[in-house]
Amino acid sequence: MATKNLQLNQLTGEKTYTEIVFQKVWGRVEAYRKTHPQQKIFMMAFGDTTQPLTPTVVQALVDATNRLGDPKTYTGYEDITGNPTLRKAICANYYQQNLGIKLDPSGIFISDGAQSASVNIQELFAPDNKVAVQNPAYPSFVEGTLLAGRTLVNLICDEQNNFVPKLPEEKVDLIYLCFPNNPTGAVATKECLKAFVDYAKSCQAVIIFDAVYSPFITTPNIPRSIYEIAGAQECAIEIGSFSKMANFTGLRVGWCVIPEALTIQNTVPGELNHLWRIRHAVKFWGTANISQYGAIAALSSAGQKECQEVVNYYLQNARLLREGLAEYGLKCFGGVDSPFVWVKAPQGLSSWQFFEKMLQSRGIVGIPGCIFGSSGEGYLRLSTLGQREEIVAALENN
Ligand code: PLP
């Protein structure tokens, strides 16, 4: 007799981000639409991209498809850790050329986006490891931790600390850090990241650094990778993605870096990298080959130039929204090095009251900050990964 996995019950009954967003946020918007058919609705809730793939990427996808349709050039399974050319391009073009960081392609694992890697990576660690997570946070860090049955420690991010947490007060084993942050849009300085690296090295903890939004950083001297901090290769795993920097949310390509130098209490150098390789072989046989050819093209010099234009487009959206809302007297955070604007609810309104007010007064739909954690109460997250015309029209809709 088969019985269900009871751990999965933690993810039902409006306990998770996805359920709350689709049932409560989306449900409320649909109900409002029915009673206010004339009101224009501006969707700034979802962190999904809206701009098309760039020409260099499209051409690479067409070429790859044609090769697969020809018996002379057809290829089947990829290397399970990812196309070697892509892994080399991530090291040479993304890390070395753009950031001056030297990594070996053997440390790069290609995944179907950052989502699966950022949660699955916990399988490398013992079940009793304690996990520190920013609060508010990208929800899957919390949900993945609960699903694994691990203890969660909150790292509070609020206006007082510029949404950048202090070091954990108690001893933790894994630390999720996400900068530029989703949902707050905050970035961390070198000094702040160095303090976390020093902490991790001092107690053999591992930092899982989500750098999905790092191509959005425009402020000088803000690190785009945890590996800009000396010693980080000994204590940090980094997760990246083509989703937001190249509009790959549908194509699904991300990566995870597990440097050879990374060690914890009961491992030798290279062992965690080797274990993740084995885990890939057992549970994941690689990302679609066509998508990986698209990612290689996105990292070519023409591809990078085009992708930067897309990122600039979203950043310009963010600037317009931030400045427009500020003109209406709203206090906004983020939106400078990130496509998320974190808006403070006025007059002490709760997240949900502010959500309702923005919907009714302007037709703007965001995500109530409290869904990202208790410290997100009193805020609304707006995504600027939408169309420029929508942002402009929303600001003109009084
Ligand atoms: N990490 C963060 C912080 C995100 O905001 C997202 C998506 O919104 C992801 C990971 C997942 O990205 P991907 O599409 O690469 O799976």
Side-chain angles (χ1 to χ4, degrees):
M1 182 177 65
T3 54
K4 72 177 172 185
N5 174 358
L6 292 174
Q7 280 299 99
L8 287 173
N9 277 356
Q10 300 210 45
L11 306 183
T12 58
E14 286 191 5
K15 286 189 219 118
T16 61
Y17 177 77
T18 311
E19 283 223 329
I20 296 171
V21 167
F22 282 99
Q23 293 182 22
K24 282 180 83 176
V25 176
W26 194 242
R28 175 64 196 120
V29 173
E30 284 305 296
Y32 185 76
R33 257 194 233 275
K34 283 202 186 103
T35 51
H36 299 78
Q38 314 299 347
Q39 169 73 289
K40 191 135 181 23
I41 301 286
F42 304 99
M43 258 301 165
M44 300 188 198
F46 304 116
D48 200 0
T49 47
T50 53
Q51 296 307 293
L53 296 168
T54 72
T56 301
V57 170
V58 171
Q59 189 57 53
L61 296 176
V62 170
D63 292 346
T65 308
N66 287 334
R67 284 198 299 277
L68 291 181
D70 182 338
K72 292 197 280 306
T73 48
Y74 171 82
T75 54
Y77 291 125
E78 270 299 344
D79 181 325
I80 53 168
T81 59
N83 181 306
T85 308
L86 176 56
R87 285 162 47 222
K88 269 189 213 143
I90 289 173
C91 290
N93 304 2
Y94 183 89
Y95 282 109
Q96 173 96 60
Q97 183 191 304
N98 294 352
L99 311 178
I101 295 165
K102 224 170 156 355
L103 290 174
D104 194 275
S106 64
I108 310 287
F109 294 84
I110 305 300
S111 59
D112 54 348
Q115 179 81 6
S116 54
S118 66
V119 176
N120 290 336
I121 202 71
Q122 288 200 23
E123 290 183 27
L124 276 176
F125 304 98
D128 64 354
N129 279 195
K130 260 193 203 167
V131 186
V133 179
Q134 284 159 280
N135 180 344
Y138 182 62
S140 60
F141 305 152
V142 173
E143 291 161 5
T145 301
L146 294 177
L147 194 56
R150 293 195 166 93
T151 306
L152 195 72
V153 172
N154 282 297
L155 301 178
I156 301 302
C157 299
D158 55 21
E159 211 178 325
Q160 280 77 45
N161 59 23
N162 286 323
F163 305 99
V164 177
K166 288 200 222 113
L167 293 175
E169 280 167 12
E170 57 191 291
K171 193 188 154 306
V172 298
D173 307 296
L174 302 176
I175 306 165
Y176 276 98
L177 289 179
C178 172
F179 290 112
N181 186 260
N182 178 7
T184 65
V187 288
T189 60
K190 261 195 180 130
E191 294 69 39
C192 162
L193 293 185
K194 182 178 178 316
F196 273 93
V197 166
D198 290 346
Y199 171 92
K201 286 182 73 177
S202 71
C203 56
Q204 289 193 299
V206 171
I207 297 169
I208 302 167
F209 193 77
D210 183 321
V212 163
Y213 297 100
S214 78
F216 288 77
I217 293 176
T218 53
T219 302
N221 299 322
I222 294 294
R224 292 171 178 223
S225 162
I226 189 78
Y227 301 126
E228 289 187 40
I229 311 301
Q233 293 198 33
E234 290 146 42
C235 65
I237 289 172
E238 179 159 297
I239 289 167
S241 173
F242 289 85
S243 280
K244 310 296 163 90
M245 70 175 190
N247 298 319
F248 271 46
T249 48
L251 273 180
R252 314 298 305 138
V253 188
W255 72 87
C256 162
V257 188
I258 307 187
E260 285 281 310
L262 179 72
T263 47
I264 47 177
Q265 197 194 12
N266 53 357
T267 65
V268 293
E271 190 175 344
L272 287 171
N273 178 293
H274 179 65
L275 290 174
W276 193 240
R277 196 171 291 265
I278 292 172
R279 193 263 178 209
H280 255 242
V282 175
K283 288 200 174 179
F284 180 67
W285 260 23
T287 306
N289 51 7
I290 293 186
S291 302
Q292 295 192 66
Y293 281 113
I296 293 167
L299 289 178
S300 67
S301 54
Q304 287 202 63
K305 203 162 155 275
E306 292 166 0
C307 289
Q308 191 56 52
E309 279 166 22
V310 172
V311 166
N312 292 346
Y313 172 91
Y314 293 135
L315 284 173
Q316 174 72 350
N317 281 355
R319 190 183 65 74
L320 288 173
L321 186 65
R322 203 167 28 89
E323 292 177 359
L325 294 178
E327 268 179 39
Y328 293 117
L330 290 168
K331 194 165 186 186
C332 296
F333 301 90
V336 174
D337 299 301
S338 140
F340 297 111
V341 179
W342 186 239
V343 194
K344 187 165 182 173
Q347 296 128 17
L349 294 181
S350 71
S351 295
W352 277 107
Q353 286 168 334
F354 187 35
F355 164 87
E356 197 62 42
K357 189 178 159 114
M358 288 293 265
L359 173 64
Q360 293 188 17
S361 61
R362 305 193 159 272
I364 292 180
V365 180
I367 301 277
C370 58
I371 301 181
F372 299 99
S374 53
S375 297
E377 181 51 87
Y379 293 89
L380 190 72
R381 188 201 74 175
L382 299 179
S383 163
T384 63
L385 293 164
Q387 310 276 359
R388 174 74 42 82
E389 309 78 63
E390 290 275 301
I391 306 265
V392 171
L395 290 169
E396 284 167 356
N397 187 36
N398 285 301

